[in-house]
Amino acid sequence: MKIIMLGAPGAGKGTQAKRIADKYHIPHISTGDIFRANIKNETELGKKAKTYMDQGLLVPDELTVDLVMDRFKNPDCANGYVLDGFPRTIPQAESLDAALAELDQKIDYAINVDVPDENIVNRMSGRRACLSCGATYHTVYIPTKVEGICDRCGDKIVLRDDDTPDTVNKRLNVYHEQTQPLIDYYTAKNVLVDVDGTKDMAEVFDAIVEILGA
Ligand code: AP5
């Protein structure tokens, strides 16, 4: 099963993608997590990506597309994957389609997690992330067992550099300009499904399972 998660920053794409990956035994591929791991490890890619991410801008397509295409070569992708944060522009979606067409494959579902902008800034200020393992928490909705420490790997959790209110607003603008057009793109391909992302996380997941099948 090949799934794309769509939705504004903070809509809950990562939260739901992790659950989908666990239930359907497919890898969760998050371009944001890949960039953040590169930033943490101070790689050349990480240094380049950071300059864009800290401003709330998208990393250029040429740095992003090859990264994802390389990841698909990993054997764990044989039965599909859930893509979180990719594609994010029409050129990225076209590159993905072209790569899949060469393998006679296609995307099965593009799941649009729908949350209005008003809810987003509040959610993001409460989010805490582990930059080592990619786990995410929320100070109110998903607190860690020990304050400030990742339940999964024991590293420190932090407020992401791009989760400040000004940068979140910038990311929302970038989303509406560059990523929202993908909703029409995947509607035209008959693979778009909408879920109401304002509901409780478990309810959102139930709605997704209803679409994907148990
Ligand atoms: P990325 O990491 O992909 O960030 P994003 O798309 O902005 O999405 P987020 O991770 O911020 O949010 P999410 O929707 O996953 O929400 P989450 O589940 O964490 O990208 C970061 C940056 O990297 C981009 O700005 C760009 O610069 C670059 N980048 C990445 N991919 C790129 C690409 N393809 N091309 C170019 N550049 C790229 O949830 C948010 C919070 O809300 C959490 O605290 C969570 O606990 C809570 N929450 C979730 N669901 C609910 C719910 N139902 N109710 C209440 N709270 C909830």
Side-chain angles (χ1 to χ4, degrees):
M1 191 150 44
K2 297 183 185 62
I3 301 168
I4 290 171
M5 302 303 291
L6 293 177
K13 303 180 297 294
T15 301
Q16 299 302 330
K18 287 180 187 110
R19 293 178 184 208
I20 293 170
D22 284 348
K23 180 169 174 66
Y24 297 96
H25 310 292
I26 50 178
H28 167 211
I29 302 177
S30 157
T31 39
D33 283 352
I34 296 172
F35 287 135
R36 281 184 289 278
N38 276 274
I39 292 171
K40 189 164 196 274
N41 295 328
E42 297 181 354
T43 67
E44 275 313 305
L45 173 67
K47 284 179 200 156
K48 283 186 194 152
K50 185 170 168 47
T51 61
Y52 298 95
M53 289 169 73
D54 283 355
Q55 296 178 68
L57 299 172
L58 295 185
V59 178
D61 290 343
E62 57 271 26
L63 292 181
T64 309
V65 172
D66 289 351
L67 185 91
V68 178
M69 298 308 151
D70 261 7
R71 178 65 183 80
F72 286 164
K73 291 179 190 149
N74 197 310
D76 68 346
C77 291
N79 293 324
Y81 36 76
V82 51
L83 293 176
D84 166 15
F86 182 92
R88 227 177 176 102
T89 61
I90 296 283
Q92 288 183 13
E94 289 170 346
S95 300
L96 174 62
D97 279 349
L100 289 176
E102 272 183 28
L103 302 169
D104 206 16
Q105 295 177 354
K106 64 176 190 56
I107 291 298
D108 299 301
Y109 297 97
I111 301 175
N112 179 35
V113 185
D114 192 19
V115 177
D117 289 7
E118 315 68 279
N119 302 30
I120 298 281
V121 179
N122 177 33
R123 269 193 196 181
M124 304 296 251
S125 59
R127 173 164 62 182
R128 296 295 178 270
C130 174
L131 301 183
S132 291
C133 74
T136 49
Y137 303 90
H138 191 280
T139 48
V140 178
Y141 308 118
I142 322 180
T144 47
K145 291 183 187 124
V146 178
E147 200 183 326
I149 301 295
C150 177
D151 291 349
R152 200 199 288 170
C153 76
D155 207 344
K156 274 197 295 193
I157 55 168
V158 295
L159 178 72
R160 271 169 39 181
D161 287 345
D162 59 349
D163 276 352
T164 57
D166 279 354
T167 311
V168 169
N169 280 321
K170 174 83 188 183
R171 286 162 63 199
L172 280 169
N173 289 339
V174 168
Y175 165 76
H176 290 301
E177 271 171 31
Q178 300 191 52
T179 307
Q180 209 170 14
L182 292 177
I183 292 176
D184 287 342
Y185 182 92
Y186 287 109
T187 301
K189 292 186 179 292
N190 284 322
V191 293
L192 189 96
V193 287
D194 286 302
V195 293
D196 179 355
T198 63
K199 299 245 168 77
D200 174 77
M201 289 173 210
E203 285 180 70
V204 179
F205 188 59
D206 288 347
I208 291 174
V209 171
E210 205 160 295
I211 292 161
L212 302 181

